[in-house]
Amino acid sequence: MGTKFSTRNLEKLGYNICFGRHFPLNWQMLALHGAEIIFNPSATVGVLSEPMWPIEARNAAIANGVYTCPINRVGTETFPREFTSGDGKPAHKDFGYFYGSSYIAAPDSSRTPGLSTDRDGLLVAELDLNLVRQVRDKWNFPMCERLKLYSKALNEVVQDDFHRTLSSKSQNYRM
């Protein structure tokens, strides 16, 4: 799944690896298992994902009452042999430009400025874990999470004989 959970020195850390950031359930599962700071190291490029970069981890921080730390490298990597990326473009030797822009998002929707898009950098910040508890107490999202309903719906869609349908016969899940 690309996720990992760890508890060290009383700080609860989660790791959502690269592409995992596109899946809200990854962030949610890490938070449900106690993570208060979730790192998302990535090596991501280009036009497709860059518009989502400032949004996904920030939204995850808000929705799950955690700090998120999306980390991306900068620069271009060149390979000795040409390859295709399944995007219809001709074979090439570079993967694309890694746009950096690492930042930290807080559960109260604030965030740090992003690091450079073209230079290596180091982001140092003091994270107040008390803010995690304050935001969770204020919003109280767990009271409305409906995890049992989600569990039932997810259990159905992971069955081998499940087929996506949009019809009047489909099970109605009011969220």
Side-chain angles (χ1 to χ4, degrees):
M1 176 162 58
T3 58
K4 187 176 180 181
F5 178 77
S6 160
T7 303
R8 293 191 181 121
N9 300 326
L10 303 179
E11 296 172 345
K12 296 181 179 183
L13 307 176
Y15 305 91
N16 192 12
I17 307 301
C18 198
F19 195 73
R21 75 181 176 281
H22 301 305
F23 303 98
L25 281 175
N26 283 359
W27 301 98
Q28 184 180 30
M29 293 307 296
L30 288 164
L32 287 171
H33 282 91
E36 294 181 348
I37 303 170
I38 302 174
F39 293 93
N40 180 223
S42 300
T44 190
V45 298
V47 210
L48 182 61
S49 69
E50 193 168 5
M52 295 183 277
W53 185 257
I55 300 166
E56 287 177 311
R58 190 175 193 180
N59 182 59
I62 297 164
N64 297 294
V66 297
Y67 284 97
T68 59
C69 308
I71 305 155
N72 192 21
R73 61 182 282 196
V74 295
T76 303
E77 188 171 339
T78 305
F79 299 95
R81 294 191 183 127
E82 288 186 336
F83 62 93
T84 58
S85 299
D87 56 8
K89 294 181 181 174
H92 49 282
K93 289 186 176 186
D94 71 79
F95 193 70
Y97 188 75
F98 300 96
Y99 51 81
S101 306
S102 303
Y103 65 94
I104 298 171
D108 66 356
S109 80
S110 62
R111 62 161 276 187
T112 65
L115 289 179
S116 175
T117 59
D118 60 5
R119 291 186 320 276
D120 286 335
L122 176 65
L123 177 58
V124 178
E126 186 173 320
L127 305 183
D128 179 6
L129 294 181
N130 201 28
L131 180 62
V132 170
R133 287 177 261 314
Q134 290 171 351
V135 169
R136 287 178 177 177
D137 288 348
K138 180 178 180 180
W139 282 100
N140 202 13
F141 285 151
M143 182 176 68
C144 303
E145 275 181 320
R146 302 182 187 128
L147 295 177
K148 287 183 182 179
L149 176 65
Y150 300 154
S151 173
K152 180 181 176 190
L154 287 169
N155 188 52
E156 288 178 14
V157 301
V158 299
Q159 301 306 311
D160 291 336
D161 61 349
F162 177 78
H163 299 285
R164 292 177 189 234
T165 57
L166 293 175
S167 72
S168 59
K169 295 178 185 178
S170 298
Q171 177 68 307
N172 183 12
Y173 293 102
R174 282 194 218 143
M175 299 292 175

